[in-house]
Amino acid sequence: MLVLVAPGQGAQTPGFLNPWLELPGVADRLGAWSETAGLDLVHYGTAADAEEIRDTAVAQPLLVTGALLSAAALFDDDPAGPAASVGAVAGHSVGELPAAAIAGVLTDLETVALVRQRATAMAEAAAVTETGMSAVLGGDPDEVAAHLAELGLTAANNNGGGQIVAAGTLEQLAALAADKPAKARVVALKVAGAFHTVHMAPAVDAMRTAAKGLNPADPGIRFVSNADGEVVADGQEIVRRLVTQVSNPVRWDLCVETFQRLGITALIELCPGGTLAGLAKRNLPGVERVAIKSPNDLDAARELIAAHRTASAPPAEAAE
């Protein structure tokens, strides 16, 4: 069974959209999405430096753009689209938005409009207090969790394989760097706030308002949720989870457990790929992987699809 995943914030790199603009129709599509996002996505995806695209209000629309563009290119020659070959979709944090679009819950334009509101609201929430995130690599999971709690930090992401992302104020993160959990390394992440914590609570109301006008469809592909790793078959419920996700932890470890339960044999990470495919190398041994970074990776991804093609079961059935 093939799983298609979309990366989250921090995966973006300067110029990563450059090669995609060489594909037919991409410039026009980016132009339309730029109007919806209120951002010059071509500029930020081709010419902006690392600091410019670190800005939450920029990074999130860029990541959604990369995932949607690469998915469209990947299935461009398949009249049945991803539903004919993808057994499940998931995204890490903001990656859940393009995953929902690929599953048919939202249109591309609805997704771009929603990520604009998400990114703006989270950037505003992050500006209230100086906060950030650090990866904690290794150590005993229970001891790490207890240590974070003592410092007032939140385990905002549990990525499995001994990787937990701590989030909180810069002072709390500095205390973590100075007093690491036993047998663990701490790596500061290039993000602009304590995402998926109470610091993002103001963004939830903004997201709820933005989602009011949506009329989501039920997914045509199994959608695996960050909240608890469960397969969600109701489009309204998926949107509700997208709204509350901004202030709740990402349980990627539970998503991985669901992939295993569903019988995953292959994983493709959409552009800008690498992070989730790297986690899969550790957490899903024996599963074939392709990380799409540029159009040069599309042929390898299509070969993987051909080798692992599985018609996805109806989402309601998959959730039973």
Side-chain angles (χ1 to χ4, degrees), residues 93 96-97 118 196 207 223-248:
S93 186
E96 284 206 301
L97 272 71
R118 184 187 196 273
H196 305 291
M207 280 287 287
F223 180 92
V224 182
S225 171
N226 281 180
D228 50 15
E230 291 301 309
V231 175
V232 183
D234 179 83
Q236 292 282 0
E237 174 62 11
I238 289 173
V239 170
R240 188 196 69 78
R241 288 173 177 238
L242 293 177
V243 167
T244 59
Q245 180 224 49
V246 298
S247 64
N248 289 325

Side-chain angles (χ1 to χ4, degrees), residues 7-263:
Q9 200 160 337
Q12 72 276 8
T13 56
F16 79 93
L17 289 186
N18 268 311
W20 297 97
L21 282 163
E22 299 174 12
L23 300 184
V26 168
D28 290 341
R29 189 172 294 172
L30 281 178
W33 291 351
S34 291
E35 288 187 22
T36 300
L39 288 173
D40 185 345
L41 293 168
V42 173
H43 165 74
Y44 284 112
T46 62
D49 62 25
E51 189 60 29
E52 287 180 276
I53 64 174
R54 180 176 177 268
D55 181 352
T56 300
V58 172
Q60 293 188 13
L62 271 184
L63 288 163
V64 167
T65 295
L68 292 177
L69 285 177
S70 55
L74 182 59
F75 296 99
D76 186 46
D77 295 328
D78 189 341
S85 52
V86 175
V89 295
H92 192 286
S93 186
V94 71
E96 284 206 301
L97 272 71
I102 293 162
V105 177
L106 303 173
T107 68
D108 288 353
L109 277 179
E110 286 173 334
T111 303
V112 172
L114 188 59
V115 78
R116 175 190 182 183
Q117 297 299 324
R118 184 187 196 273
T120 301
M122 292 179 74
E124 290 174 352
V128 174
T129 305
E130 289 192 330
T131 58
M133 305 176 83
S134 293
V136 182
L137 309 174
D140 178 87
D142 292 335
E143 292 180 8
V144 170
H147 190 67
L148 297 184
E150 288 176 5
L151 297 175
L153 289 161
T154 299
N157 300 348
N158 189 330
N159 292 327
Q163 185 186 109
I164 294 174
V165 176
T169 67
L170 296 187
E171 292 80 7
Q172 290 167 334
L173 291 171
L176 174 64
D179 182 19
K180 304 176 182 64
K183 299 180 181 179
R185 293 188 297 120
V186 175
V187 180
L189 300 181
K190 295 179 180 179
V191 296
F195 306 136
H196 305 291
T197 71
V198 294
H199 294 284
M200 293 294 111
V204 174
D205 287 339
M207 280 287 287
R208 189 172 289 117
T209 299
K212 279 183 179 177
L214 297 175
N215 185 27
D218 292 339
I221 305 171
R222 298 180 186 95
F223 180 92
V224 182
S225 171
N226 281 180
D228 50 15
E230 291 301 309
V231 175
V232 183
D234 179 83
Q236 292 282 0
E237 174 62 11
I238 289 173
V239 170
R240 188 196 69 78
R241 288 173 177 238
L242 293 177
V243 167
T244 59
Q245 180 224 49
V246 298
S247 64
N248 289 325
V250 171
R251 295 302 307 269
W252 191 251
D253 58 325
L254 299 181
C255 292
V256 169
E257 289 180 10
T258 297
F259 300 160
Q260 292 172 314
R261 177 173 58 81
L262 293 173

